[in-house]
Amino acid sequence: MHNGVSRTLSGVALAIALAYGNLAMAACPNWAEGTSYKVGDVVSYGNANYTALVAHTAYVGANWNPASTPTLWAAGGSCSGGDPTPPTPPTPPVPPAPPGNTVPFAKHALIGYWHNFANPSGNTYPLAQVSDDWDVIVVAFADDAGNGNVSFTLDPSAGSAAQFIQDIRAKQAKGKKVVLSLGGQNGSVTLNNASQVQNFVNSLAAIIAQYGFDGIDLDLESGSGIVVGAPVINNLIAGVKQLKAKVGSNFYLSMAPEHPYVQGGFVAYGGNWGAYLPIIDGLRDDLSVIHVQYYNNGGLYTPYSNGALAEGSEDMLVAGSKMLIEGFPLGNGASGSFKGLRPDQVAFGVPSGRSSANSGFVTADTVARSLTCLTSLQSCGAILPAQAYPSFRGVMSWSINWDSHDGYVFSKPVAGSLHQLPATQAKMKKAVRTVRTAW
């Protein structure tokens, strides 16, 4: 008897709900990439409802799905008609900028690494405090989460995640690039098979979408097993290309290998000697800039001198850049050759001061003379480029934090030197024609 009554009452309740529109019976539209949402919109995703916290367009390729982007969506909500009231977030949400902002980065750029950790230079600090002399801010570092996955944990001293996202967007509004670096002295990635490559791509795309990074920097060293012929090389190339396809054509890609991994291939091509060259070659069409580290590894052997060129010297910086632009033989000519890159894809990497690296300290005056030599064939030492490269990109330094600790003794003069360089060969020729016409 009890069961019969229950069934009868249930039928009546159902009829009433159908007649008056039970809130739980209303179906929400499925979330879809490429759709523009306004505050309060409710969607269905993964058998659950989510309410939009901010107006945004679901970025195609980055998969800003509700379950993965709590800055954009809050769990819950109904589709009963009318204007639903969105849940109140614990802190004001900040939507990430679409990955790869469309503003081109500086023609002659000062590129620096910002520590997402404490070290003898001190605690890290919010990105908002980074001097505007830095044109590209490389966030160091992401973490290897295993099986190809990459993770990123923001240091509390940098502020909240929402503040960090705001700081990135503010820098981008000023024409700066903010990218996430993989690797470092103790960092690595694990890319041994196709499954790990897919995890690499998906995890990085989610991080880029969440924070609004412009792209990534490859600062991978021995911890990732990068040696000539290792599977990680082709897997890394494939993964980066897939990541760019997800993020979009504005994807920023930089590399910061130590010089034995690059120009070291001139002396001997095998093991770690020259091991980055296939990566550079495989990604040359996607590469924004490479800034080889000319420190902590001793002198540089080149085709232009009998002995090694000393760390901290103008000749080393010019010769290393010349090799990347003009190309060089591998294994002293026994293993083929490396084809050069465009000048605008090349910068050189130096320490910001005596405390930021074990060796390779270079003065601001040496940096200025090296830049002048490379861009206009003036103030050169013993090594001369084959021609002037006015579009040479600039200077990378480890690090922004050490430079701040030392009172900006590196960034201020070097930024000044970069601002005085010629913009492009075309502008130089136009200036010459203007002078000749006036004469």
Side-chain angles (χ1 to χ4, degrees):
M1 183 66 178
H2 179 79
N3 289 340
V5 172
S6 296
R7 281 197 297 269
T8 301
L9 292 176
S10 295
V12 173
L14 178 60
I16 294 173
L18 290 173
Y20 293 96
N22 190 321
L23 299 184
M25 295 297 292
C28 294
N30 291 329
W31 175 85
E33 284 190 319
T35 303
S36 294
Y37 294 102
K38 63 182 184 297
V39 175
D41 281 349
V42 182
V43 299
S44 175
Y45 181 84
N47 297 319
N49 287 352
Y50 294 86
T51 301
L53 297 172
V54 291
H56 70 283
T57 298
Y59 186 75
V60 177
N63 201 26
W64 284 0
N65 69 71
S68 299
T69 48
T71 56
L72 301 179
W73 297 93
S78 67
C79 298
S80 58
D83 295 323
T85 301
T88 302
T91 57
V94 180
N101 74 71
T102 57
V103 179
F105 71 116
K107 295 295 183 183
H108 300 298
L110 180 59
I111 303 160
Y113 285 77
W114 171 87
H115 307 174
N116 184 44
F117 53 86
N119 78 344
S121 68
N123 289 331
T124 193
Y125 46 82
L127 283 185
Q129 297 178 22
V130 173
S131 162
D132 283 343
D133 284 329
W134 299 96
D135 299 299
V136 180
I137 301 168
V138 186
V139 173
F141 295 99
D143 298 308
D144 183 356
N147 201 32
N149 291 288
V150 175
S151 63
F152 175 69
T153 303
L154 183 65
D155 189 292
S157 295
S160 67
Q163 184 61 52
F164 186 65
I165 293 169
Q166 284 184 330
D167 290 348
I168 289 176
R169 296 184 69 183
K171 289 296 182 184
Q172 290 169 335
K174 294 181 178 181
K176 314 297 183 182
K177 295 291 185 182
V178 185
V179 301
L180 179 63
S181 184
L182 314 183
Q185 181 177 350
N186 301 318
S188 64
V189 296
T190 305
L191 293 174
N192 296 319
N193 53 54
S195 175
Q196 291 179 349
V197 170
Q198 194 60 57
N199 290 339
F200 174 84
V201 173
N202 291 341
S203 60
L204 269 175
I207 294 170
I208 290 171
Q210 179 180 359
Y211 292 99
F213 289 117
D214 290 292
I216 62 171
D217 169 73
L218 301 179
D219 185 18
L220 303 171
E221 300 178 4
S222 57
S224 296
I226 294 185
V227 295
V228 175
V232 65
I233 291 177
N234 287 333
N235 287 332
L236 182 63
I237 294 169
V240 171
K241 285 184 174 293
Q242 291 176 37
L243 179 62
K244 180 178 179 178
K246 269 183 171 285
V247 172
S249 59
N250 295 312
F251 178 74
Y252 179 103
L253 174 65
S254 62
M255 302 180 189
E258 297 173 317
H259 70 73
Y261 287 84
V262 186
Q263 293 93 339
F266 166 68
V267 178
Y269 186 59
N272 67 327
W273 294 93
Y276 242 82
L277 294 175
I279 301 172
I280 299 168
D281 200 44
L283 294 170
R284 63 171 56 240
D285 294 335
D286 308 294
L287 180 65
S288 302
V289 62
I290 181 171
H291 26 69
V292 170
Q293 299 178 34
Y294 298 108
Y295 52 92
N296 289 347
N297 284 281
L300 179 70
Y301 286 90
T302 76
Y304 323 122
S305 61
N306 292 327
L309 300 172
E311 283 187 322
S313 69
E314 176 186 352
D315 283 345
M316 182 185 192
L317 300 180
V318 172
S321 302
K322 175 181 168 76
M323 290 175 75
L324 286 173
I325 296 169
E326 298 175 10
F328 58 92
L330 303 180
N332 277 301
S335 303
S337 62
F338 172 73
K339 178 185 175 183
L341 298 165
R342 300 191 315 267
D344 65 279
Q345 292 178 297
V346 180
F348 54 72
V350 295
S352 62
R354 295 188 183 277
S355 299
S356 55
N358 294 325
S359 64
F361 171 74
V362 59
T363 66
D365 179 65
T366 297
V367 170
R369 287 186 286 106
S370 301
L371 290 170
T372 302
C373 177
L374 286 162
T375 57
S376 61
L377 294 181
Q378 298 177 12
S379 303
C380 295
I383 308 299
L384 287 172
Q387 64 181 71
Y389 299 114
S391 61
F392 182 81
R393 183 60 72 175
V395 179
M396 174 276 281
S397 186
W398 179 269
S399 67
I400 291 172
N401 306 61
W402 274 113
D403 176 66
S404 175
H405 173 273
D406 295 338
Y408 311 103
V409 294
F410 178 87
S411 61
K412 287 188 179 299
V414 172
S417 297
L418 288 164
H419 294 159
Q420 296 174 15
L421 295 179
T424 62
Q425 186 70 50
K427 287 187 178 181
M428 289 182 68
K429 290 180 178 178
K430 181 178 180 181
V432 170
R433 287 197 299 270
T434 301
V435 171
R436 287 175 176 170
T437 302
W439 180 260

